[in-house]
Amino acid sequence: MNDTNPAGIRRAHVTGWGRYAPSQVLTNADLERMVDTSDEWIRTRTGIRERRVAAAHETTASMGAVAGLRAIRTAGIEPDDIDLILLGTLTPDYWMPSTAALVKEAIGNTKATAFDVMAACSGFVYGFATAQAYIQAGLAKHVLVIGAELLTRFLDYTDRSTCILFGDGAGAVVLSASDEPGGALGVEMTTEPQGAYMIWLPAGGSKAPPSADTISRGEHYVRMEGNQTYRFATKTMATTALESIRRSGLAPEDIDLFIPHQANIRIIEAVAKGLDLPMDKMFVNLDKYGNTSAASVPIALAEAVNEGRVKVGDNVVIVAFGAGFTSGAVTINWTADPARGRAGDAAVRPEDVTVRAPVDWDSVDPIPDALAELMRRPGSIDVPLDDVAPGEPERAHQPVG
């Protein structure tokens, strides 16, 4: 990488990062009580052991605001220093206004432009690339980029192929303008609409507005063609990451850590193989959170930095794929002090962040009935974190409730 910076070139540096995961844990053993599956089947096929579930009072905006404020505190700036708020999500609080607008108010910002980015699981990476472009164009000095999802309210808990995969959470970064070398380098983004109906929500938009019929047919739940999605993901994550690295003037062996979308351990292993890299260069936390869609990359990035997996001078690649089929990757030369992250998290308590509710309107309980019934049961079930046993996974032995 060439460390010289031509005069007048503005670079986008990551100066802050933060994350938020709800406290409620939904384990594989819990899911065995809801649908015909088993802990072993889920672990061997996906690598997921548990995922987080937002409480009834939590929303995409409230989780995004907590993660965003933590990123701002880590950056050492004030909320009003943010010029632009970009929020990647496929589960907005409302179709309008934007969830980013709600976050703006919740964090106490009075001046930023705010809008949502809809690129499904690639939403955060698309937002990151957009923020980089704003900074390089001189249109913003500090940009807050958030990925936040509340997927557990859009799952069919009788469909064992989808309800086992997803969880809730939010992550965020602050990108700041600087004339110093480093920061965000090469960007690559693609969209392949031939896969548009491989992962989708059939109803709720203008093609199929909500109605009693769409509800009765279960068309407001996530639907996915797993095999086709897997084939696309394994190919596109590797090729998109490679192109981002190439645009940065680097080679795969120059990358210290990859932060891939946390969808499936087999996909991440295939990407590592495609890049001819060891798995220890791939950061993985999907065992704890499942697939949190647009939130997965920023949660993993914040966790990797806070755990000491990233140091000043490291080259890091974030890469994601999602419905559409979208994909995106950014290569980053890390310049921020990793030690700041934990203090940023500690500075913001979730209970101190409030999203203003609409006047004279009350929502129904948003938690799906099957999930609410499980969460009401006393106690919890712990999944032993032992090694995955070889062989064909077995179905659940206990009757499904």
Side-chain angles (χ1 to χ4, degrees):
M1 182 184 66
N2 185 356
D3 284 335
T4 62
N5 188 15
I9 299 296
R10 290 163 58 99
R11 298 189 183 276
H13 288 249
V14 177
T15 56
W17 54 94
R19 61 192 164 136
Y20 174 71
S23 60
Q24 177 70 40
V25 175
L26 182 68
T27 68
N28 292 346
D30 290 331
L31 285 168
E32 287 180 350
R33 297 170 175 254
M34 300 172 65
V35 67
D36 184 17
T37 190
S38 71
D39 170 51
E40 184 188 25
W41 192 93
I42 298 170
R43 284 189 290 121
T44 56
R45 298 298 178 92
T46 71
I48 301 168
R49 298 175 185 271
E50 61 187 39
R51 67 288 293 147
R52 300 298 180 93
V53 178
H57 70 279
E58 293 180 310
T59 68
T60 300
S62 70
M63 293 189 298
V66 173
L69 268 178
R70 287 175 169 174
I72 289 169
R73 297 307 180 204
T74 299
I77 60 177
E78 295 300 319
D80 251 355
D81 292 326
I82 298 295
D83 305 303
L84 173 66
I85 300 170
L86 302 172
L87 191 145
T89 189
L90 62 86
T91 56
D93 282 25
Y94 313 102
W95 286 118
M96 63 176 181
S98 73
T99 304
L102 301 178
V103 167
K104 172 182 175 175
E105 183 179 50
I107 67 175
N109 179 284
T110 62
K111 64 180 236 182
T113 301
F115 59 90
D116 292 353
V117 179
M118 294 191 68
C121 299
S122 303
F124 173 80
V125 179
Y126 272 46
F128 191 109
T130 303
Q132 181 179 354
Y134 265 80
I135 287 173
Q136 290 177 335
L139 297 176
K141 182 178 180 181
H142 298 292
V143 182
L144 177 63
V145 186
I146 302 169
E149 300 286 11
L150 210 164
L151 285 152
T152 58
R153 295 177 192 171
F154 296 87
L155 301 177
D156 179 357
Y157 286 95
T158 66
D159 178 9
R160 67 188 182 196
S161 68
T162 57
C163 72
I164 66 171
L165 299 175
F166 298 100
D168 304 331
V173 298
V174 172
L175 287 181
S176 300
S178 173
D179 59 3
E180 294 297 319
L185 305 175
V187 175
E188 172 69 1
M189 294 187 293
T190 68
T191 302
E192 178 45 71
Q194 288 187 358
Y197 299 114
M198 294 297 101
I199 315 174
W200 67 311
L201 275 166
S206 61
K207 178 66 171 66
S211 67
D213 288 339
T214 63
I215 293 172
S216 67
R217 292 193 296 263
E219 293 177 352
H220 297 269
Y221 297 129
V222 172
R223 294 187 181 180
M224 182 173 70
E225 299 294 335
N227 290 336
Q228 292 90 330
T229 301
Y230 178 89
R231 284 195 291 268
F232 171 81
T234 54
K235 177 181 178 181
T236 193
M237 286 238 288
T239 58
T240 303
L242 277 173
E243 182 60 18
S244 169
I245 295 167
R246 186 194 68 78
R247 290 173 182 267
S248 303
L250 302 171
E253 56 267 26
D254 297 320
I255 305 305
D256 298 286
L257 190 66
F258 287 80
I259 310 287
H261 173 46
Q262 306 288 309
N264 185 302
I265 190 61
R266 293 183 176 182
I267 294 174
I268 296 174
E269 290 170 345
V271 172
K273 183 177 180 181
L275 296 173
D276 194 25
L277 294 171
M279 272 297 289
D280 62 9
K281 280 201 171 186
M282 299 282 168
F283 186 80
V284 178
N285 67 355
L286 63 84
D287 54 314
K288 297 185 292 184
Y289 303 113
N291 183 347
T292 55
S293 185
S296 111
V297 167
I299 289 175
L301 177 61
E303 193 162 290
V305 177
N306 289 354
E307 289 181 359
R309 294 290 302 276
V310 179
K311 63 182 183 297
V312 173
D314 280 358
N315 294 315
V316 178
V317 171
I318 58 174
V319 58
F321 74 93
F325 276 140
T326 61
S327 67
V330 182
T331 301
I332 307 163
N333 179 249
W334 195 265
T335 57
D337 179 4
R340 298 208 309 254
R342 292 182 180 274
D345 281 359
V348 179
R349 300 189 308 169
E351 58 267 28
D352 293 334
V353 180
T354 302
V355 175
R356 182 167 56 90
V359 178
D360 298 330
W361 185 83
D362 292 319
S363 173
V364 297
D365 187 342
I367 305 295
D369 291 342
L371 194 55
E373 193 278 329
L374 182 72
M375 292 170 69
R376 284 193 294 267
R377 295 176 183 175
S380 62
I381 303 172
D382 294 324
V383 179
L385 300 179
D386 51 359
D387 292 335
V388 176
E392 183 67 18
E394 296 182 358
R395 296 295 184 187
H397 296 294
Q398 65 264 49
V400 177

